[in-house]
Amino acid sequence: MSANFDKIQKDLLEFFEFVLETCESSKNGGCKIAALGLYNHGKSTLLNQLTGDYKCETFKVADKRETTVEKHVQSGGVEYVDTPGLNADDYDTKTALKAINASDLYLFVHNAKTGELSKPEVDFLKEVSKNLDAKEFLKACIFVLTKASQVTDKEVEGEKKRIVEQLRSKAIFGVDVPINIISVDSVSYAKGKLENKQLLAKKGNIDALKEMINLVVEEVDIEAKKQAEICAMADVLMADMAVCERELDAEKATLQDEYDSIKSEFDEAVARYHEIREEIRDLERRIERKQEKLYNL
C-alpha cells in the first residue's frame, strides 16, 4: 500500500510541475520542441543549427557522451530541449519519455548511416505507443535522418521508405497515417553558413526542416494538445487514486474484521475471567464454612 501512495505522491508532483510548465509556456506564447534519439546520432548538432549556433557552442558536441541531463534553450520564440541518448541507460530513456509529455513537438533524430530503425529505437517508440495516442504523436513528430551527405541519395530515400513502413507496422504504432520525415546534414549546413557557401548550406537541408517544423506547428493545435495531455494525466491519477481508495477500503475491512475477532476473543476472556473469579469466591466461601465447622468441634 505504501508503494502505491509513494507513486501517487510522485505522480501528483510531476502533474503539478507539468501544469505549471504548460501555463508558463502558454503565457510566453511559444512552443517546446524536444530532440529524441540514440546517443551520437546528431541531436545536439542539429539543435545548434536550428538555434543559429553554427559553431556548435550552445549544445555540447563531442565523440564522447556529453548530454546526460536535459538542456533547454530559447531561440526565436521556441524552447528547444536536448535529451540524453536513449541507449545510455534506463534513466535516460525515462527522461526522454518525460520530455515527450512536457513538449509540444518532437524531433526523432536518426543517423542515416545506420540504415533502418534499430532495436533500441523500436523499443523506445513501442514505449511511446503505450503511453501516447499514436496518431497524435506521429502528427507532432518529425523523423530527422542526420548525416545524410555520408550516404547516397538513393540510400536515403530507401531508408525513409523502410522507416515509414516500420513506424506504420503493428510492431510499433500500427496506424496508417502520414509520417513527417526528412534528411539533413548539420555539418554541411554549418560549414555553408560559416563560409558563406549557399549551395553547401542548402544541401544541409536545415532550412527545409525549419519549414517542416512551421507546417507541423500550424497543423498541431498546441493549446488543445496541452489540455488533452493534462486531462489524460488527470484521468490516470484519478484512476490510480480510485484503486488506492479501493485498496484502503479493503484494508480497512480486513482490519475491522481483525479488530472484531480480537474484541470478541477479549470479551470472551473477560467473561471467563469473571466466571473464574466468581468460582474462586464461591470456593473461598465454602472453605470458610468448613473452617468454622472445624473450629466448632
Side-chain angles (χ1 to χ4, degrees):
M1 177 58 67
S2 61
N4 287 339
F5 275 116
D6 290 343
K7 180 181 181 300
I8 287 178
Q9 287 179 332
K10 181 174 177 292
D11 290 346
L12 273 172
L13 181 61
E14 291 182 355
F15 173 72
F16 288 129
E17 287 177 351
F18 177 71
V19 171
L20 288 173
E21 287 179 4
T22 300
C23 291
E24 188 66 24
S25 176
S26 297
K27 185 175 69 175
N28 294 334
C31 70
K32 183 184 289 187
I33 300 177
L36 315 165
L38 298 181
Y39 156 69
N40 207 25
H41 272 223
K43 297 188 303 297
S44 300
T45 306
L46 175 66
L47 291 179
N48 281 322
Q49 306 318 304
L50 290 173
T51 56
D53 177 14
Y54 310 127
K55 294 183 179 180
C56 293
E57 296 173 344
T58 303
F59 294 95
K60 290 185 178 180
V61 176
D63 289 333
K64 65 179 183 178
R65 182 174 176 235
E66 288 285 356
T67 307
T68 56
V69 295
E70 286 185 9
K71 180 169 183 179
H72 298 242
V73 171
Q74 291 278 353
S75 177
V78 176
E79 181 180 352
Y80 293 94
V81 183
D82 195 8
T83 63
L86 303 178
N87 52 342
D89 54 43
D90 289 340
Y91 170 79
D92 292 336
T93 299
K94 289 177 181 177
T95 300
L97 284 169
K98 185 178 177 181
I100 289 176
N101 288 327
S103 301
D104 306 311
L105 270 66
Y106 327 107
L107 302 177
F108 191 93
V109 181
H110 174 78
N111 186 344
K113 296 193 299 179
T114 63
E116 62 184 26
L117 297 176
S118 64
K119 186 178 184 302
E121 291 171 309
V122 170
D123 289 343
F124 173 77
L125 291 170
K126 283 181 182 178
E127 286 299 311
V128 172
S129 68
K130 292 177 185 177
N131 293 279
L132 295 175
D133 179 88
K135 291 182 179 179
E136 291 301 317
F137 173 78
L138 291 172
K139 184 178 180 181
C141 184
I142 299 175
F143 292 85
V144 185
L145 277 60
T146 58
K147 307 180 183 182
S149 66
Q150 298 181 36
V151 293
T152 66
D153 291 343
K154 184 178 180 180
E155 288 173 326
V156 169
E157 292 307 312
E159 282 183 31
K160 286 182 182 178
K161 184 178 179 180
R162 289 195 300 275
I163 289 172
V164 168
E165 290 172 351
Q166 283 180 287
L167 294 170
R168 289 174 175 169
S169 72
K170 291 182 179 179
I172 304 182
F173 291 109
V175 291
D176 187 6
V177 296
I179 304 295
N180 304 307
I181 189 166
I182 189 172
S183 58
V184 302
D185 193 283
S186 301
V187 174
S188 296
Y189 183 79
K191 187 175 181 181
K193 286 293 185 178
L194 289 171
E195 298 177 3
N196 198 26
K197 295 180 179 179
Q198 299 299 323
L199 289 177
L200 188 59
K202 185 177 180 180
K203 184 180 179 182
N205 215 31
I206 297 295
D207 290 332
L209 172 58
K210 291 179 180 179
E211 291 177 6
M212 183 177 283
I213 290 173
N214 290 334
L215 289 174
V216 172
V217 169
E218 290 177 4
E219 291 176 5
V220 176
D221 187 340
I222 293 177
E223 290 304 315
K225 179 176 177 291
K226 289 176 180 177
Q227 290 177 14
E229 288 171 355
I230 289 173
C231 289
M233 291 177 71
D235 288 342
V236 171
L237 276 170
M238 293 297 289
D240 288 343
M241 291 172 72
V243 169
C244 273
E245 186 177 2
R246 289 194 295 272
E247 290 177 353
L248 273 174
D249 289 340
E251 189 170 333
K252 180 181 177 182
T254 300
L255 290 172
Q256 185 65 48
D257 289 343
E258 291 177 358
Y259 168 79
D260 291 342
S261 177
I262 293 170
K263 186 175 184 303
S264 177
E265 292 176 2
F266 175 77
D267 291 342
E268 289 176 4
V270 169
R272 182 56 183 154
Y273 163 77
H274 288 299
E275 289 176 2
I276 293 172
R277 186 176 178 184
E278 188 59 35
E279 289 174 1
I280 291 172
R281 285 178 179 174
D282 182 60
L283 182 61
E284 288 174 343
R285 287 191 291 270
R286 289 166 58 190
I287 291 172
E288 287 176 358
R289 288 195 294 270
K290 286 186 178 292
Q291 287 176 339
E292 287 178 3
K293 288 181 180 181
L294 287 173
Y295 290 145
N296 294 329
L297 289 175

